[in-house]
Amino acid sequence: MTKSTLLALLCSLFTQSLTVAQQPAKLEDPPWIKLVATQRIFYAVPGMERIRPQKDLTYKSVSKEELKLDVYQPRSRRRGALSPAIVFVHGGAIPSNLRTKPKEWGAYVSLGQLAAASGFVGITFNHRFYGWDMYPLSDARSDVSAAIAYVRDNAARLGVDKNRICLWSLSAGSVLLSSPISEPPSHIRCLVFYYPIMDLEPMRKQRPAITDDVTREFSPINRLRRARFTFPPIFIARAGREEPALNAAVDTFIQVAVERKATLDFSNHPDGRHGFDVLDDNARTREIIKRTIEFIKTRND
């Protein structure tokens, strides 16, 4: 199996219907972990690789499982200074018994470093997106809220301005941002979606766990239509070589967002694959990531 094929397999994990009743006792890594643990995003700024995080802070303990996050701080931060934070929300579903969890993957390590080198505090964390039915999705969504609450409660110690937070979701991590879409708190300054899943309806035929209730509750397009408040500014990065039905949902989301007068920035990667930031080493990938950082800076001025 080639490196490209293996990475494509990893980035299509979201298409698997994984339903796990409880955390298995034995932790183990599938073969693809060795590659994904080192695969970084195809964009860099000077000094980012030298940034080391404050690791393995427990933000939540549940069912004998400790959920951890890492904090990447700017190297030039003055004592007592507070910076906006970018919280990275990984996708799924993932095996619940992974030994090497997402925040240790090269993509999230390099995203955290990029955030810190760009003047933000980068937050990467593990959550329980272990399946597509209501319970693991609800658990994972509550974990996202708990991670944000932990960062805000410990903002001074972590060097975070608790009133300036951006959420950056990748892949199916988008389905966990329903609350910031429909009922955004004032401290969420912007939302970023990379090759997102905006509607679960096209996925239901292959995934029986996605019921009517799950589709209504976790499809971002549904939450957008029902939103009663003004949304935070939104940035969407679309992968042109995504599954057509999933991209159709992204296109519909954009249309509804425009109709609802959302502040929206949109970047299309016409030849990009799902996971283009770690799969497609080209100028368009780097341009989109750079534009994303500039978008977040503008929304936090």
Side-chain angles (χ1 to χ4, degrees), residues 83-86 118-120 161-168 185-193 230-236 261-266 290-301:
S83 302
I86 304 176
S118 302
F120 303 96
D161 181 340
K162 68 178 183 179
N163 293 316
R164 294 193 291 168
I165 295 175
C166 174
L167 304 181
W168 183 331
S186 60
H187 57 267
I188 301 300
R189 292 298 187 92
C190 60
L191 303 175
V192 173
F193 296 96
T230 302
F231 339 105
I234 296 171
F235 184 101
I236 296 178
K261 301 186 184 305
T263 298
L264 176 70
D265 281 34
F266 167 62
K290 181 180 179 181
R291 284 190 61 192
T292 307
I293 293 295
E294 292 171 348
F295 168 85
I296 298 172
K297 285 183 177 179
T298 299
R299 300 307 161 187
N300 282 280
D301 286 343

Side-chain angles (χ1 to χ4, degrees), residues 4-227:
S4 177
T5 302
L6 194 53
L7 278 170
L9 173 63
L10 169 64
C11 292
S12 67
L13 277 174
F14 77 94
T15 64
Q16 301 178 24
S17 181
L18 300 172
T19 302
V20 181
Q22 60 184 5
Q23 179 79 357
K26 183 180 179 181
L27 299 178
E28 57 186 4
D29 283 342
W32 49 260
I33 283 291
K34 290 184 179 180
L35 178 58
V36 77
T38 59
Q39 185 65 31
R40 298 170 59 87
I41 60 170
F42 290 122
Y43 179 73
V45 298
M48 63 180 273
E49 293 190 14
R50 296 194 299 272
I51 295 173
R52 297 292 179 264
Q54 186 177 357
K55 289 186 63 65
D56 293 329
L57 303 179
T58 300
Y59 73 88
K60 184 177 182 180
S61 297
V62 59
S63 301
K64 299 181 180 180
E65 184 176 4
E66 290 192 345
L67 300 174
K68 309 281 190 178
L69 60 77
D70 293 348
V71 179
Y72 295 80
Q73 296 176 331
R75 291 171 62 90
S76 59
R77 184 174 71 91
R78 299 188 307 275
R79 185 177 182 85
L82 302 179
S83 302
I86 304 176
V87 178
F88 296 96
V89 183
H90 72 76
I94 61 172
S96 62
N97 63 330
L98 280 179
R99 181 181 298 277
T100 305
K101 297 186 182 297
K103 74 179 183 65
E104 309 299 335
W105 299 358
Y108 294 99
V109 171
S110 52
L111 283 169
Q113 291 174 325
L114 173 64
S118 302
F120 303 96
V121 177
I123 308 292
T124 62
F125 68 106
N126 302 319
H127 56 72
R128 293 171 294 163
F129 192 165
Y130 299 151
W132 286 103
D133 58 328
M134 183 66 76
Y135 292 107
L137 284 169
S138 297
D139 287 345
R141 184 171 62 185
S142 72
D143 296 343
V144 173
S145 297
I148 296 169
Y150 178 91
V151 171
R152 298 192 76 232
D153 290 344
N154 296 275
R157 178 169 62 87
L158 301 177
V160 171
D161 181 340
K162 68 178 183 179
N163 293 316
R164 294 193 291 168
I165 295 175
C166 174
L167 304 181
W168 183 331
S169 68
L170 297 95
S171 185
S174 57
V175 306
L176 306 179
L177 301 190
S178 54
S179 294
I181 291 174
S182 59
E183 299 178 6
S186 60
H187 57 267
I188 301 300
R189 292 298 187 92
C190 60
L191 303 175
V192 173
F193 296 96
Y194 264 41
Y195 36 89
I197 310 303
M198 291 304 199
D199 189 355
L200 294 176
E201 186 64 37
M203 302 170 65
R204 293 185 60 180
K205 288 185 179 180
Q206 296 179 340
R207 301 160 192 85
I210 302 178
T211 62
D212 287 342
D213 288 343
V214 169
T215 301
R216 281 193 298 269
E217 182 68 15
F218 288 95
S219 293
I221 185 64
N222 292 339
R223 302 298 293 237
L224 180 67
R225 285 172 171 145
R226 303 202 309 261

